[in-house]
Amino acid sequence: MNLETISSGAHQEDFNSSSQKLDILEVEAMQLKNIDRDTLKSQSSTQTAESNTNTPRYDPEVITAFYSKRPLQVWKRRIDILWTFVLFAFNWWLDKVTGNAAKNERKRAIWLRGILTNLGPAFIKVGQALSTRPDLASPVYLDELTKLQDQLPAFPNEVAYHFIEEELGFPPKEVYAELTPDPIAAASLGQVYKGKLKTGEIVAVKVQRPGLAESIALDIYILRTLAIWANKNIQRLRSDLVAIMDEFGTRIFEEMDYTQEGRNAEKFKELYGHLKDIYIPKIYWLYTGRRVLTMEWITGTKLTNLEAIKEKNIDAKYLIEIGVQCSLRQLLEHGFFHADPHPGNLLASPDGKLVYLDFGMMSEVKPYQRYGLLEAIVHLVNRDFEGLAQDYVKLEFLTPETDLTPIIPALTGVFNNALGASVAELNFKSITDQLSALMYEYPFRVPAYYALIIRSLVTLEGIAINVDPNFKVLSKAYPYVAKRLLTDTSPELRNSLKDLLFKDGNFRWNRLENLLKNASNSDDYEISKVLDQALDFLLSERGDFIRVHLVNELINGLDLASINTLINARTKVSKWLGIKVEKTSIATSRNPQEEKRTEHIKNIWKIIQDTPGFDAMELVQLIPNILGKPEMQRMGQQVAGGLTQRALARLIRQLLLSPEHPDTDGNSHQSKTKPQLSLPAFLP
């Protein structure tokens, strides 16, 4: 039986048809509306998107209605899956008991790869994800599971050629000038041939496996029914497994439509193709259909093939960093992200660029989720666990009605232990491991969108660990977060920046220094943009709270500077006149906190000066416009007024407290010594 596609528009009566021919095989299947092949030969992805309306779609109700009438087929598949894994687990346990684990490890790894291959695409993708985690599987298992990325058994050329003719309207020999006699790679959903167009371009031709939708739909149905049972019967289970399965089903069905993959590739290129050393291949739409994709041929090396990369003098660590930066922009900037970044889909090109392949499984993060993730990072860095608990509500891990009172101290305990001295030393697996225990005790639910994000990040981190065991993703990510905090004008991040820089009414100059230092390490960081946005924000209504604090800081700084200037002048004059200098006056004028703040300001100015793109003359040219703003004039008046008030207060103290001054009990007493000639102390 071959369930080629499952359409959300299918009707119940469609399931009553006994059998029909979908591919080249006579099979029993759901009745489908035929896709007009002319639309699949559109020369532009836009035309394809508009005209191709009958693409495969995941509909859990349709799948349930279909397989609920076929219990024998479902139970046969369940028993096959269960028996296969039970048999493997028993033999693995027996090796442990008999001490043959090391001896039989390669044998068991090959067996596991065979199991996942035979069970089909859904299980192959699990193996692909596991193949990127050297911290979860031994090198022997990793070596075998890596073969699931592009070394799966191929299907017959006759089937592939038939699909090409069906989709493109002509036999392969009339479409391509050259085509390899056998596929050069075979993955979970299709196999790839190397070809040459009649116009001379070298291309990769990907052809979909037959019977794909049926295999995937049956497995998703089985896993979804298990998820429904688990949600109802396992009280400690907090994740919405059904929603997660539906999200996975939606994405994998989208992956079965190669025209959608082509559109994804072009969107990905539009959003991220301009980033330094990122490359996305070209799609040839005239030679692309629902089951056939023709794209630019890329010669490259897997990032995990360290020896080959080293021989070509390519810096694998640098490419991993490039991948991390690109992933951050995918998740936190545009929200359109590659949900399947296994090593087979990430290559190092001969000229040292990171090449992305296979855009079938993509997902999106909504704006409020992107800002929620950024705010959560800020609160984690700031160790604001009350704010972090609120973030979990915004990100839909907790419902708005949840009582956060017991959760806040629990988060504090978990993350205080996990964070240690530096957030940058954490990896994503550490965070997820720490959260997993917490989520069992409190009413957390893992949203479906988050499952794909974690899969993407953990997979990328697995590749990074393989390249460099000491690689810390968060330490590479924080420069981007710092840049976003300093340049993004959204109200959400402005509030996060406020929370980060102010505490108990005091401005934390060390945090600003750290942000500027980290942001300067971001490739697309523009200091001029930061200064422009900072000034615009400072002079806007939203910047009122900063202006209030800035006025106080200026008054404190200028007041201290004036005191020090007067003290220095008094000291020089006293020495010149031979007058005794009051040492206590000078000593009490030195404030360690003020000195530390001054040091931070000096460091900040140096960081700004050293940042690429900074032009002091541009800043000088802005001064007249800045000074002409009503807000700046009011700030000047407030600073002048504050300094005047402090000066008058000191003068009054000098007049009222000399020669008499109150003691600590509030009583006054006469000085027992004759007053000596001295200059005013000008102390605050």
Side-chain angles (χ1 to χ4, degrees):
M1 170 179 164
N2 179 19
L3 183 61
E4 179 59 29
T5 57
I6 297 177
S7 171
S8 60
H11 298 288
Q12 184 62 40
E13 59 265 25
D14 294 335
F15 294 97
N16 297 327
S17 60
S18 59
S19 65
Q20 66 180 146
K21 187 174 182 179
L22 293 179
D23 298 325
I24 62 171
L25 307 173
E26 289 289 338
V27 293
E28 178 189 6
M30 298 182 189
Q31 184 178 348
L32 300 169
K33 298 177 181 178
N34 291 328
I35 297 178
D36 183 359
R37 286 197 295 272
D38 291 337
T39 64
L40 297 177
K41 293 190 291 180
S42 169
Q43 296 187 32
S44 71
S45 60
T46 303
Q47 291 173 341
T48 303
E50 291 175 352
S51 58
N52 184 13
T53 58
N54 292 315
T55 56
R57 289 189 179 89
Y58 169 74
D59 190 326
E61 294 182 4
V62 171
I63 294 175
T64 300
F66 181 77
Y67 283 112
S68 60
K69 296 182 178 181
R70 292 160 174 79
L72 291 178
Q73 182 184 357
V74 172
W75 274 106
K76 181 180 181 302
R77 178 63 172 171
R78 285 174 177 164
I79 292 171
D80 286 344
I81 294 171
L82 182 62
W83 172 249
T84 301
F85 280 113
V86 166
L87 192 61
F88 174 82
F90 175 76
N91 281 272
W92 181 83
W93 172 80
L94 198 61
D95 286 342
K96 288 282 188 182
V97 173
T98 58
N100 293 321
K103 177 184 176 181
N104 293 334
E105 187 175 26
R106 175 67 64 179
K107 180 180 177 181
R108 301 295 175 227
I110 294 173
W111 188 12
L112 178 60
R113 173 171 59 83
I115 288 173
L116 297 175
T117 300
N118 293 331
L119 287 177
F123 292 90
I124 289 170
K125 288 196 170 292
V126 173
Q128 289 174 345
L130 187 60
S131 72
T132 66
R133 298 303 310 195
D135 51 338
L136 298 180
S138 71
V140 173
Y141 276 88
L142 291 178
D143 183 52
E144 289 300 324
L145 293 176
T146 298
K147 296 176 182 177
L148 294 173
Q149 295 162 12
D150 53 13
Q151 299 177 44
L152 295 172
F155 57 90
N157 282 343
E158 291 77 11
V159 178
Y161 293 164
H162 181 82
F163 282 2
I164 291 174
E165 184 172 357
E166 277 196 342
E167 296 297 333
L168 306 184
F170 300 95
K173 62 182 180 180
E174 296 182 27
V175 177
Y176 305 101
E178 296 177 12
L179 201 64
T180 52
D182 296 306
I184 52 104
S188 57
L189 303 188
Q191 59 194 32
V192 180
Y193 298 83
K194 184 176 182 180
K196 183 178 181 180
L197 300 180
K198 294 184 182 295
T199 50
E201 294 92 338
I202 305 299
V203 294
V205 182
K206 184 159 73 169
V207 185
Q208 192 173 112
R209 290 181 179 275
L212 197 58
E214 177 199 11
S215 171
I216 292 174
L218 177 55
D219 287 340
I220 289 178
Y221 171 75
I222 291 172
L223 293 172
R224 192 174 188 272
T225 54
L226 181 62
I228 293 172
W229 179 88
N231 279 351
K232 289 181 179 179
N233 295 280
I234 303 177
Q235 295 181 354
R236 292 177 64 84
L237 184 65
R238 302 299 183 183
S239 301
D240 188 349
L241 295 183
V242 177
I244 291 173
M245 285 307 307
D246 286 342
E247 178 74 10
F248 177 73
T250 299
R251 300 309 167 196
I252 201 168
F253 264 80
E254 287 178 356
E255 195 174 359
M256 286 187 282
D257 176 17
Y258 285 171
T259 57
Q260 179 63 45
E261 180 174 346
R263 291 192 292 272
N264 289 341
E266 291 197 335
K267 182 177 180 180
F268 195 89
K269 187 171 187 175
E270 178 185 353
L271 294 175
Y272 314 112
H274 66 281
L275 297 177
K276 183 180 178 183
D277 293 328
I278 293 289
Y279 191 82
I280 295 93
K282 177 183 177 181
I283 303 297
Y284 292 93
W285 285 104
L286 189 61
Y287 310 95
T288 293
R290 182 173 64 84
R291 293 174 295 179
V292 177
L293 175 67
T294 302
M295 64 192 301
E296 176 185 358
W297 176 264
I298 298 295
T299 300
T301 308
K302 289 184 182 181
L303 293 182
T304 49
N305 192 348
L306 298 181
E307 292 183 4
I309 288 181
K310 188 176 181 180
E311 289 175 1
K312 296 177 182 179
N313 295 320
I314 297 173
D315 188 347
K317 291 183 182 179
Y318 169 73
L319 291 183
I320 287 295
E321 291 182 16
I322 292 293
V324 169
Q325 295 303 316
C326 185
S327 294
L328 290 168
R329 283 156 181 79
Q330 292 174 48
L331 294 171
L332 303 177
E333 193 165 324
H334 298 291
F336 183 69
F337 72 95
H338 197 300
D340 194 21
H342 65 71
N345 296 335
L346 293 173
L347 301 180
S349 68
D351 57 350
K353 291 186 177 182
L354 180 64
V355 182
Y356 278 83
L357 301 175
D358 195 348
F359 301 92
M361 184 171 282
M362 309 294 290
S363 191
E364 295 198 36
V365 186
K366 297 175 182 177
Y368 79 91
Q369 294 165 344
R370 300 200 295 267
Y371 287 120
L373 289 169
L374 279 165
E375 290 178 277
I377 292 172
V378 172
H379 289 141
L380 190 60
V381 171
N382 213 24
R383 288 171 168 76
D384 179 1
F385 299 111
E386 183 176 353
L388 187 62
Q390 294 292 342
D391 293 331
Y392 280 119
V393 175
K394 294 179 186 177
L395 292 170
E396 302 170 311
F397 283 79
L398 299 168
T399 62
E401 300 79 23
T402 304
D403 181 14
L404 300 180
T405 306
I407 294 177
I408 294 170
L411 286 171
T412 304
V414 167
F415 282 109
N416 268 341
N417 292 333
L419 291 174
S422 173
V423 175
E425 291 302 309
L426 273 179
N427 55 37
F428 287 112
K429 186 176 181 298
S430 298
I431 295 176
T432 53
D433 286 349
Q434 291 292 332
L435 278 176
S436 60
L438 189 67
M439 288 182 177
Y440 276 108
E441 298 181 23
Y442 298 96
F444 283 86
R445 296 180 69 85
V446 178
Y449 77 90
Y450 184 74
L452 280 180
I453 290 176
I454 286 298
R455 180 178 183 272
S456 175
L457 291 177
V458 169
T459 300
L460 181 64
E461 185 180 63
I463 299 172
I465 292 173
N466 185 74
V467 173
D468 178 9
N470 296 317
F471 191 94
K472 300 297 180 183
V473 173
L474 284 178
S475 66
K476 302 299 180 183
Y478 197 64
Y480 170 80
V481 175
K483 186 213 73 169
R484 284 292 302 278
L485 285 172
L486 291 170
T487 59
D488 199 301
T489 58
S490 66
E492 296 91 342
L493 291 194
R494 285 295 150 198
N495 288 331
S496 294
L497 184 62
K498 174 185 174 183
D499 293 340
L500 194 65
L501 296 181
F502 290 94
K503 183 178 182 180
D504 300 329
N506 295 319
F507 189 87
R508 294 192 279 188
W509 291 97
N510 62 317
R511 286 288 175 89
L512 179 58
E513 180 184 343
N514 187 47
L515 278 177
L516 287 168
K517 186 186 299 180
N518 276 283
S520 64
N521 294 324
S522 185
D523 289 337
D524 56 351
Y525 177 66
E526 299 178 18
I527 188 63
S528 58
K529 185 177 180 181
V530 174
L531 294 174
D532 288 342
Q533 292 189 4
L535 289 172
D536 289 342
F537 182 74
L538 178 64
L539 301 177
S540 68
E541 291 184 4
R542 293 176 298 159
D544 284 343
F545 73 95
I546 290 184
R547 290 200 297 273
V548 170
H549 288 285
L550 189 57
V551 165
N552 291 332
E553 293 290 343
L554 286 171
I555 290 173
N556 290 334
L558 291 173
D559 188 45
L560 178 61
S562 64
I563 291 172
N564 286 332
T565 301
L566 289 172
I567 288 174
N568 290 334
R570 171 178 173 272
T571 301
K572 291 180 180 179
V573 172
S574 297
K575 288 181 178 179
W576 182 62
L577 295 175
I579 301 173
K580 182 180 179 182
V581 179
E582 297 181 11
K583 295 182 180 179
T584 55
S585 300
I586 299 174
T588 54
S589 68
R590 298 176 62 86
N591 187 326
Q593 291 185 348
E594 298 290 350
E595 289 181 354
K596 194 172 183 180
R597 179 176 61 194
T598 302
E599 186 65 27
H600 283 308
I601 293 174
K602 288 179 181 178
N603 293 339
I604 288 169
W605 177 241
K606 188 176 186 307
I607 291 170
I608 292 174
Q609 286 180 304
D610 294 341
T611 301
F614 174 74
D615 188 346
M617 290 307 299
E618 289 184 7
L619 190 60
V620 171
Q621 292 171 3
L622 291 174
I623 291 176
N625 291 331
I626 296 171
L627 295 177
K629 299 286 185 181
E631 293 82 4
M632 290 301 296
Q633 293 176 0
R634 282 195 293 271
M635 284 181 64
Q637 293 170 359
Q638 292 168 352
V639 171
L643 290 172
T644 301
Q645 289 177 0
R646 293 199 178 191
L648 287 174
R650 275 195 297 274
L651 179 61
I652 291 171
R653 270 203 307 273
Q654 290 289 332
L655 293 175
L656 293 181
L657 299 182
S658 180
E660 292 185 359
H661 58 276
D663 58 21
T664 55
D665 297 326
N667 300 319
S668 62
H669 59 273
Q670 297 287 339
S671 176
K672 297 181 181 180
T673 59
K674 292 182 179 181
Q676 297 181 351
L677 180 61
S678 64
L679 296 177
F682 294 105
L683 290 176

